[in-house]
Amino acid sequence: MQETFTLTVNGVEHQITADPDTSLLSVLRNELGLMGSRYGCGLGMCGACFVLLKGKPVSSCDTPMWSAAGGEVTTVEGLGTEDALHPVQQAFLDEQAAQCGYCTSGILVSAAALLAENPTPDEDQVAAALDRNLCRCGVHDRVVRAVVRASR
């Protein structure tokens, strides 16, 4: 049975009609065309699908619409502005921190949440904050450097 939900995504309010158990990731990708968040494990274990919901990183692949309804969602597409990348996005480019890029959107979202909460984290704090984001390419050192760089 479908229901209509109000969801604000990247500052724009949407009315979404979906089954209450539909994942937030499916709505973002299939209904709103926001392809930055990736389907990784489908269990909320890898971080590829992370978005900010009410300012906190959540795995959108296992967040049902009924729990996201009325919330404000920020995807990787909504981190920066039309004129400028978010500082952590620019730092990723500067540090060449993205390898294949599959996990990058989730890492950027987690890093942005960290910097919003702690504007000057040290490397250990960055590593702890990104502990739920898996990267098979092995660029975690570059990722940590990029997040620290973004904090300057």
Side-chain angles (χ1 to χ4, degrees):
M1 182 170 173
Q2 300 217 338
E3 294 180 27
T4 299
F5 302 94
T6 300
L7 194 64
T8 301
V9 180
N10 299 334
V12 179
E13 186 175 296
H14 299 273
Q15 299 295 314
I16 305 293
T17 301
D19 184 287
D21 292 329
T22 300
S23 73
L24 176 58
L25 179 63
S26 291
V27 168
L28 294 172
R29 291 182 61 87
N30 301 330
E31 302 298 324
L32 302 179
L34 297 168
M35 305 304 251
S37 303
R38 307 289 170 79
Y39 183 88
C41 66
L43 301 170
M45 303 290 287
C46 72
C49 66
F50 275 12
V51 297
L52 299 179
L53 177 60
K54 301 172 188 169
K56 302 290 182 191
V58 300
S59 54
S60 62
C61 72
D62 65 353
T63 298
M65 277 303 294
W66 62 262
S67 72
E72 291 189 23
V73 175
T74 303
T75 67
V76 70
E77 293 94 338
L79 289 180
T81 65
E82 284 188 30
D83 299 326
L85 295 173
H86 184 282
V88 77
Q89 291 171 314
Q90 185 61 55
F92 262 60
L93 292 174
D94 295 342
E95 291 289 339
Q96 300 179 8
Q99 198 73 31
C100 80
Y102 200 83
C103 63
T104 303
S105 61
I107 293 173
L108 288 169
V109 166
S110 294
L114 169 65
L115 294 175
E117 203 170 289
N118 177 1
T120 56
D122 62 29
E123 289 186 5
D124 290 340
Q125 291 168 320
V126 172
L130 301 180
D131 191 48
R132 293 179 56 206
N133 295 90
L134 301 179
C135 172
R136 293 181 186 182
C137 298
V139 293
H140 280 287
D141 289 343
R142 290 182 189 176
V143 167
V144 170
R145 278 198 312 266
V147 177
V148 170
R149 180 182 188 140
S151 71
R152 295 184 193 143

